Amino acid sequence: MKNLFFALLVVFSASACAPEFGLEMQAPPVSAVQKVEPGGAEAAALRVKVGSFEDARSALTIVTVDDREIPTVGSVGGPVQEAFDRAFRDAGVRVVRRDAPLLQGEVVEWKANILPGFPSSEAVATAKVRVSLKDSESHVIYRGVFNGEATVSHPLLDEDHVQELLGQAMGGAVEAAVNDEVLRAQLSRGRIE
């Protein structure tokens, strides 16, 4: 009887810590980029046109909980495009609709892996974007791949926590791209008068 009670207590404790998720998940908004390097007058002279970001992930899975895969619904490119737009503006770069180099790209990876546990669950989110910058004649003048990662350990890990974590990971990738000195130099070189 004592062993049965102990076994039920362990099962109940483990199931209480297992995160609950739906059958699918929207791509989350990308967290605001915290460490954008303002460029002052130099950045103010730069202009960029932020184009679309395509979903180039090898699978639609955005979250894995144990062995259960949760697919993404909706666009993953839209939130990434908005994040680049916002990050360039925060850096002082003018984001325009025409007469500027075009930045566009692909979301190569955006996922979280969750390991339920007691007393808390662990989650790791990773993001990777591939960007290209094109001049007025659509010649590629720059290509780069940027990564971001975020981790959390929480006793009550839920879908909101994981979406925030995914947003932080992609925010790190966007931050790395916007702060890239070579990309900024190419923005300057590719300036369209």
Side-chain angles (χ1 to χ4, degrees), residues 9 58 68 93 116 121 173 191-192:
L9 182 63
S58 60
R68 183 175 150 227
V93 176
S121 297
R191 191 173 2 198
I192 299 168

Side-chain angles (χ1 to χ4, degrees), residues 78-159:
V80 175
Q81 181 180 356
E82 291 169 10
F84 270 100
D85 186 282
R86 188 175 57 243
F88 276 119
R89 289 179 196 277
D90 290 348
V93 176
R94 289 182 52 210
V95 178
V96 296
R97 292 184 179 242
R98 56 188 203 118
D99 300 330
L102 171 66
L103 180 91
Q104 58 190 33
E106 301 173 322
V107 177
V108 179
E109 181 179 315
W110 199 5
K111 63 183 179 180
N113 187 27
I114 302 167
L115 301 171
F118 181 79
S120 64
S121 297
E122 305 282 330
V124 176
T126 55
K128 182 187 290 189
V129 291
R130 183 181 304 126
V131 301
S132 62
L133 188 66
K134 296 180 179 179
D135 64 13
S136 61
E137 297 174 0
S138 294
H139 295 120
V140 175
I141 57 176
Y142 175 82
R143 282 194 173 112
V145 177
F146 300 94
N147 300 299
E149 184 175 297
T151 60
V152 70
S153 176
H154 198 278
L156 300 173
L157 196 59
D158 62 7
E159 194 167 320

